[in-house]
Amino acid sequence: MSAQNRIPLNSEGLSLSRLVLGVWRLLDQGAKPSAAEVARLIDEAIALGLTSFDHADIYGNYGVEAAFGAGLAGWSGKRQSIELITKCDIMLTSSQRPDNRVKHYDTSAAHIKTSVDRSLQNLKTDYIDVLLLHRPDPLMDADETAAGLQDVVKTGKVRAIGVSNFTPSQIDLLASRLPFPVVTNQIEMSVTSTAPLDDGSLDHAQRLRYAPMIWSPLGGGSLFTGTGEQEQRVRAALQTVGDELGVDDISAIAIAWLLRHPARLIPVLGSLKRERLAKMVSALDIKLERQQWFAILKASTGQDVA
């Protein structure tokens, strides 16, 4: 993945790879991966051009960061050659967090600082490249939250701040209290989940020139296994476009559909299998024509545009 396939996030040199590897499934394979296996995963990702790794404190019942960090500690590469993204503010009811009596959100300055310190320890790193607030908190005090975020940036623990699943107005509120930009909003979008095209999320991103990260870019697997009318229509449309372009994998076409949008979407890939990742990365070489893009949209919505 060449330099032109990176996405700059701010004016201070921070950028992400054009596609990001999401590691939330790292502990979903049964046996916990060894440090050597995680280090090998990092190398395989980098070989595919995936230098950015998406985490959250809660992934794997609060266990993924530490498992990844064990591999990172023994990895032979240079820390500055990769980017680590993580998230905080979701508080799960879990044996790992016995004080949480009910699932809730916490965007207090104290929690932000504590969560960052814990993530740094788990990931075995001195800094986090991008910290995201994971979900909008209805009790967010914008002044207090911003103070906590400014503290972790000022102390060098975090390079940049973003959000996840925020509405445009929620981003505006937080941004109004920060002396630096909110660099991304990680939102759900795929060929079967197109709400951001109409809810203002992508318009807001283009207006403020930040690049949204995209979670579940393949619809959580429903694109391949779903039996509903929408999934069947979309699969057929992706296959038709793939046939036109000589591409035999519909996941690559689905990722290319996202990349075609001018808001500079950054899909977060969920597979940890090198073969599957390679097929999705091939989307970088696919340029959909405008009518091909709209044909896929029509298949998703079930109707022509107005």
Side-chain angles (χ1 to χ4, degrees):
M1 199 178 297
S2 60
Q4 63 263 32
N5 278 324
R6 296 189 63 81
I7 298 293
L9 294 188
N10 61 21
S11 60
E12 299 176 3
L14 176 60
S15 66
L16 299 183
S17 50
R18 190 66 184 84
L19 303 172
V20 168
L21 182 61
V23 294
W24 65 86
R25 292 175 176 155
L26 188 63
L27 300 181
D28 290 358
Q29 310 303 314
K32 180 180 177 180
S34 67
E37 288 171 328
V38 174
R40 185 164 55 250
L41 171 67
I42 295 171
D43 280 330
E44 290 176 349
I46 291 172
L48 291 170
L50 305 172
T51 67
S52 305
F53 299 85
D54 182 70
H55 289 267
D57 57 349
I58 63 171
Y59 288 164
N61 191 26
Y62 295 98
V64 164
E65 284 185 336
F68 188 91
L72 186 62
W75 177 58
S76 60
K78 296 180 179 180
R79 168 64 180 88
Q80 61 266 34
S81 67
I82 64 172
E83 301 79 41
L84 298 180
I85 303 127
T86 197
K87 312 176 192 73
C88 70
D89 92 19
I90 297 179
M91 308 289 277
L92 298 180
T93 54
S94 165
S95 59
Q96 302 302 312
R97 299 291 185 273
D99 291 338
N100 295 350
R101 301 186 306 276
V102 62
K103 182 181 179 182
H104 63 285
Y105 307 132
D106 188 347
T107 53
S108 67
H111 176 67
I112 289 169
K113 296 174 187 179
T114 298
S115 184
V116 166
D117 286 342
R118 187 182 288 119
S119 290
L120 290 173
Q121 180 180 5
N122 287 339
L123 290 166
K124 302 293 192 295
T125 186
D126 295 328
Y127 65 94
I128 293 163
D129 293 280
V130 186
L131 175 70
L132 308 181
L133 297 181
H134 205 159
R135 289 277 178 179
D137 174 10
L139 295 181
M140 183 182 80
D141 179 323
D143 291 311
E144 181 188 356
T145 299
L149 295 173
Q150 289 180 69
D151 180 81
V152 295
V153 171
K154 183 178 180 179
T155 55
K157 296 176 180 180
V158 173
R159 295 179 67 190
I161 297 300
V163 295
S164 180
N165 305 296
F166 273 47
T167 66
S169 64
Q170 290 164 340
I171 297 172
D172 288 342
L173 171 59
L174 181 62
S176 72
R177 305 299 204 273
L178 292 171
F180 44 73
V182 174
V183 299
T184 191
N185 183 23
Q186 187 173 134
I187 56 176
E188 180 182 11
M189 185 176 174
S190 69
V191 290
T192 56
S193 182
T194 63
L197 294 173
D198 303 306
D199 67 11
S201 295
L202 301 188
D203 303 331
H204 189 260
Q206 285 206 76
R207 181 169 68 82
L208 296 184
R209 300 186 185 279
Y210 63 82
M213 297 176 68
I214 303 299
W215 62 268
S216 199
L218 295 178
S222 65
L223 177 61
F224 308 102
T225 60
T227 58
E229 291 184 3
Q230 183 199 37
E231 292 92 345
Q232 294 182 57
R233 289 195 309 266
V234 169
R235 281 196 294 271
L238 293 172
Q239 187 63 60
T240 296
V241 173
D243 291 344
E244 293 170 356
L245 297 174
V247 176
D248 62 3
D249 188 86
I250 63 171
S251 67
I253 301 297
I255 296 297
W257 187 82
L258 293 169
L259 297 177
R260 181 67 172 79
H261 196 279
R264 302 178 302 142
L265 311 183
I266 307 173
V268 179
L269 310 181
S271 177
L272 298 177
K273 297 179 180 178
R274 191 185 188 286
E275 297 76 14
R276 291 292 307 129
L277 289 171
K279 289 182 178 180
M280 288 185 272
V281 169
S282 71
L284 295 171
D285 298 319
I286 299 171
K287 179 71 170 180
L288 298 187
E289 296 178 354
R290 182 175 289 266
Q291 292 192 59
Q292 291 171 328
W293 190 91
F294 275 95
I296 295 169
L297 177 64
K298 177 182 178 179
S300 180
T301 62
Q303 60 188 13
D304 282 311
V305 293

